[in-house]
Amino acid sequence: MAGLYIHIPFCGQKCAYCDFYSRPARGCEVAFLDALEREMAFRRDFLPARRLDTIYIGGGTPSLLEPERLQGVLDRAAGLWDCSGLREVTMEANPEDLTDEYIERLAETRFDRLSIGIQSFDNGLLRLMNRRHSAARARDAVRAAQRNGFDNISIDLIFGIPGMTAAQWERSLDEAIGLGVQHISAYHLTIEPGTTFGKMARKGDLRPIPEAESERQYETLRRRLTEAGFEHYEISNFAQPGRRAVHNSAYWSGAPYLGVGPSAHSFDGGRRREWVAPDVEKYIAAAGTDAKTEGISGGIYDGETLSDTDLANERVMTALRTVDGIAAEELREDKNLEKLLSDGLLVRRDMSGESGSREDRGGEGEGCGGGGKNGSRIAIPPDKFLLSDYIIGALFE
């Protein structure tokens, strides 16, 4: 399993909550795409095998670029790696860009999955977050994609928005379910220091919602989506049966992936992590070379080699984000593990036999370390995902 992530850093306008690297294109799209192709060729050997299973183009807002230009990037990737067995090719898009004409052209490309950044179906909340689309435009974008043959659609939603009521959140969930999409990612809003919301919070003009309300909104999310047939398979992700995000699941399982474009990160599946400087101008000048760029060690690329402890902790952190959890043998037996099990914050699943998995709480059944012949796995129950930071931190080496 190996994935390619391509970061398109351009946005039409900055959302009030966003701290990802993005900026207006300012006419540099062609030069940027040329640099992107140089970087892919330069780093083609980073992955252990010359084969890709998934490609994900994210941002930023990739849908600001013409479908034909994005297909050109996919064509270049197919010339560098074996793409004959691709399982998923995803493109992030914003609703305001997904006109009928744009989607008709997009349907002629190799993309088979869309991730649409809707965030809310409430017009007031969309304005608060400085989103460019309306609720009606979001609905129309999804339906247009469906009319043009896209049958693997994910939408993003945000909860925990200051001032959002329970009724507003319920209505957004009802709208999302009613559209018949295959996947929903729902994230709690975080007020980051350098964002518009961060500046408002410093001035006292914006207050985070109370923790109890966050918990209620998360429980509403879980209840409504699971009742509608979605599987809660990762802290923030819900999928219809068989429609988990293949690319993102690779991140959580520790599979290798190459990230290209400004601010993109990569992991070789072993010990090496690398990342690209978040600067479009430097990227266009130095992508695909070892040339030194002022202020960036080794040009626009930097990285680190992970220690045994780093690897163990990252494995715990990523695996326990998912409902599948981690093999018991990968965790050390100690009082923290035993207490989390006895408190019901972790469960042990016996993966042996043909009758399905069995969950044990506390010290019942066999020991948790090693897994033994039963192939036991340790996981956070989905109804405890909101406590994942505490649980995972307690298991770090």
Side-chain angles (χ1 to χ4, degrees), residues 181-228:
V181 297
Q182 289 71 42
H183 190 279
I184 296 174
S185 297
Y187 305 99
H188 190 290
L189 185 136
T190 302
I191 299 176
E192 300 289 353
T195 64
T196 298
F197 276 173
K199 296 171 185 175
M200 292 172 65
R202 281 199 305 275
K203 294 177 181 177
D205 296 333
L206 190 77
R207 294 183 179 180
I209 69 168
E211 186 175 331
E213 181 59 25
S214 290
E215 293 173 0
R216 282 191 290 270
Q217 290 181 9
Y218 190 68
E219 285 308 310
T220 298
L221 167 72
R222 275 185 31 77
R223 174 178 54 80
R224 292 290 290 112
L225 293 190
T226 54
E227 286 175 353

Side-chain angles (χ1 to χ4, degrees), residues 44-161:
R44 66 183 301 196
D45 294 326
F46 180 83
L47 297 172
R50 290 274 183 88
R51 186 197 73 252
L52 293 178
D53 297 277
T54 66
I55 300 176
Y56 191 110
I57 296 188
T61 310
S63 53
L64 287 175
L65 301 185
E66 296 176 353
E68 295 78 11
R69 291 195 184 278
L70 295 172
Q71 179 58 49
V73 176
L74 298 181
D75 290 342
R76 181 56 174 149
L80 295 168
W81 295 279
D82 177 5
C83 292
S84 60
L86 280 172
R87 299 169 57 190
E88 182 183 88
V89 184
T90 302
M91 173 185 154
E92 288 184 354
N94 276 354
E96 62 272 17
D97 301 322
L98 295 180
T99 63
D100 283 309
E101 186 266 341
Y102 187 96
I103 293 175
E104 287 172 7
R105 293 159 62 196
L106 194 63
E108 299 299 317
T109 69
R110 198 166 182 178
F111 291 103
D112 56 23
R113 183 174 184 270
L114 289 179
S115 178
I116 305 176
I118 291 176
Q119 316 311 355
S120 176
F121 287 95
D122 184 276
N123 285 328
L125 294 175
L126 289 169
R127 287 191 293 271
L128 174 67
M129 293 185 288
N130 201 34
R131 299 291 292 173
R132 290 191 295 152
H133 66 274
S134 65
R137 178 64 242 160
R139 289 189 290 270
D140 290 346
V142 173
R143 290 169 181 153
Q146 292 167 333
R147 284 196 304 272
N148 282 277
F150 286 96
D151 64 354
N152 195 2
I153 298 173
S154 177
I155 64 174
D156 286 357
L157 296 176
I158 293 178
F159 65 101
I161 304 168

